[in-house]
């Protein structure tokens, strides 16, 4: 079994509850943020380092409209955007401002985007486009 203790500690640091894969997340208003994609978080930690993984979790958990369910697709999408755009990672507050303008929970609920490679790719495009509007408005579509 793979050691996931670092990922568990990071999730706990951001008060994210880890639930089993097959368990449905509780989406009540007062429920804590939850995730089952702990292996994905561990891969991000191992591959990209603790600072990058911290930035990913910070961005997802610090915005006002944060989703109750942190999906694998959302972790991967935010990680990819921050990796491809180092200036966004260095100016995390501005990145969070851009992320704040996306109704991630509503979008995931309406479109059914919960997991999978296509979901990660769709979220990555949406997040990158919105972030570009903040970082480089002349390049945004």
């Amino acid at each position: 079994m793979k050691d996931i203790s670092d990922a568990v500690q990071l999730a706990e640091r951001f008060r994210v509850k880890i639930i089993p894969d097959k368990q449905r997340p509780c989406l009540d208003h007062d429920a804590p943020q939850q995730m089952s994609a702990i292996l994905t978080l561990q891969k991000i930690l191992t591959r990209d380092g603790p600072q990058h993984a911290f930035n990913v979790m910070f961005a997802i958990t610090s915005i006002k409209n944060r989703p109750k369910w942190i999906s694998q697709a959302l972790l991967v999408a935010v990680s990819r955007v921050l990796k491809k755009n180092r200036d966004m990672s260095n100016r995390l507050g501005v990145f969070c401002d851009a992320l704040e303008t996306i109704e991630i929970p509503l979008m995931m609920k309406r479109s059914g985007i919960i997991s999978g490679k296509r979901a990660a790719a769709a979220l990555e495009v949406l997040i990158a486009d919105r972030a570009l509007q903040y970082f480089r408005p002349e390049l945004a579509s």
Side-chain angles (χ1 to χ4, degrees):
M1 174 130 175
K2 193 171 199 166
D3 180 23
I4 57 170
S5 59
D6 292 338
V8 170
Q9 281 183 331
L10 185 59
E12 288 173 350
R13 181 174 183 180
F14 287 100
R15 295 187 179 111
V16 174
K17 182 179 177 185
I18 301 163
I19 62 172
D21 276 338
K22 303 298 179 192
Q23 182 178 328
R24 293 187 65 115
C26 177
L27 302 177
D28 293 342
H29 177 68
D30 58 347
Q33 279 187 292
Q34 300 154 71
M35 68 184 295
S36 64
I38 198 69
L39 287 176
T40 301
L41 183 57
Q42 184 63 49
K43 285 179 189 174
I44 291 170
L45 266 163
T46 303
R47 184 184 58 227
D48 304 311
Q51 184 61 53
H52 178 75
F54 176 90
N55 290 351
V56 169
M57 289 298 290
F58 180 86
I60 293 171
T61 60
S62 67
I63 57 175
K64 287 182 211 157
N65 64 341
R66 60 187 169 268
K68 291 290 182 185
W69 175 245
I70 300 173
S71 68
Q72 177 183 16
L74 183 58
L75 281 171
V76 169
V78 171
S79 176
R80 286 180 184 165
V81 171
L82 289 176
K83 266 191 347 190
K84 290 177 182 177
N85 302 282
R86 292 285 181 205
D87 55 332
M88 292 181 191
S89 199
N90 293 335
R91 296 175 52 210
L92 203 53
V94 177
F95 178 75
C96 289
D97 289 345
L99 204 56
E100 187 74 52
T101 66
I102 304 170
E103 286 293 333
I104 293 171
L106 183 61
M107 186 194 75
M108 291 174 74
K109 184 178 180 181
R110 281 191 179 161
S111 63
I113 295 177
I114 300 297
S115 63
K117 291 180 182 179
R118 287 185 179 162
L123 281 169
E124 181 182 352
V125 168
L126 177 66
I127 292 167
D129 181 64
R130 190 63 55 92
L132 277 176
Q133 291 175 17
Y134 277 70
F135 282 87
R136 289 174 282 212
E138 71 279 2
L139 297 179
S141 57

